[in-house]
Amino acid sequence: MAQYVAIIEDADPDSVSLWFPDLPGCISGGDDLEEALENAPEALAFFAQELTADGRQLPPPRTLDELKADPDFADDLGKHTAVLIEWPPRDASE
């Protein structure tokens, strides 16, 4: 099962957002961290659906170490919390 790195940002005292460095434009959010994390697989699913409609696939996820070595994301990783989001998500009955 793949795991995409997501960057969590406390954008506002009343909301939390997260975004995926490997998936430009794929974002999730919520009123708190728990809600933002719960919404993340749905954001990934929607993003994957849009790519599929365009005849493309999700790119393979990079590891946290690979992202740390990328100067475009190293600063963000130092300022914010990173989490791993499984894709595809596990079935709740498993």
Side-chain angles (χ1 to χ4, degrees):
M1 185 168 298
Q3 293 182 321
Y4 284 90
V5 173
I7 308 297
I8 298 171
E9 294 186 19
D10 294 323
D12 173 304
D14 298 323
S15 67
V16 174
S17 64
L18 62 86
W19 54 277
F20 298 87
D22 287 326
L23 308 171
C26 184
I27 59 172
S28 179
D31 293 335
D32 56 29
L33 178 59
E34 183 177 338
E35 185 176 22
L37 291 172
E38 285 177 9
N39 292 337
E42 184 177 337
L44 273 171
F46 181 73
F47 193 81
Q49 182 180 10
E50 291 295 312
L51 287 179
T52 300
D54 289 340
R56 299 181 293 155
Q57 296 180 10
L58 283 174
R62 289 181 285 174
T63 66
L64 187 56
D65 287 337
E66 289 171 322
L67 288 169
K68 285 179 182 177
D70 184 334
D72 290 335
F73 301 110
D75 191 48
D76 289 320
L77 290 169
K79 292 180 183 176
H80 304 289
T81 302
V83 295
L84 296 175
I85 306 295
E86 290 185 351
W87 183 256
R90 287 187 186 175
D91 185 351
S93 64
E94 288 181 16

